[in-house]
Amino acid sequence: MLPQGAWQRLTQVGVSPVPVDHPWTAGGAWTVYAAWAAGAVAVAFAAVHRRDV
């Protein structure tokens, strides 16, 4: 669930060197990016709101 792992998945060429039972998809990698972006926006809004009060 980290952006670095998502980036590695998106830039991966060919088959994974280490076989895993449940490999994640490119869609899953993009979901990780979307979740991190949404989380960053939420933290930014919360921090700004708190600072203005």
Side-chain angles (χ1 to χ4, degrees):
M1 283 299 294
L2 295 175
Q4 179 184 9
W7 177 253
Q8 288 174 348
R9 169 58 187 100
L10 290 173
T11 58
Q12 175 182 1
V13 177
V15 180
S16 175
V18 179
V20 293
D21 291 334
H22 304 286
W24 56 326
T25 63
W30 285 113
T31 302
V32 168
Y33 277 126
W36 274 86
V41 168
V43 168
F45 278 130
V48 169
H49 177 67
R50 215 169 227 229
R51 189 145 169 100
D52 287 344
V53 172

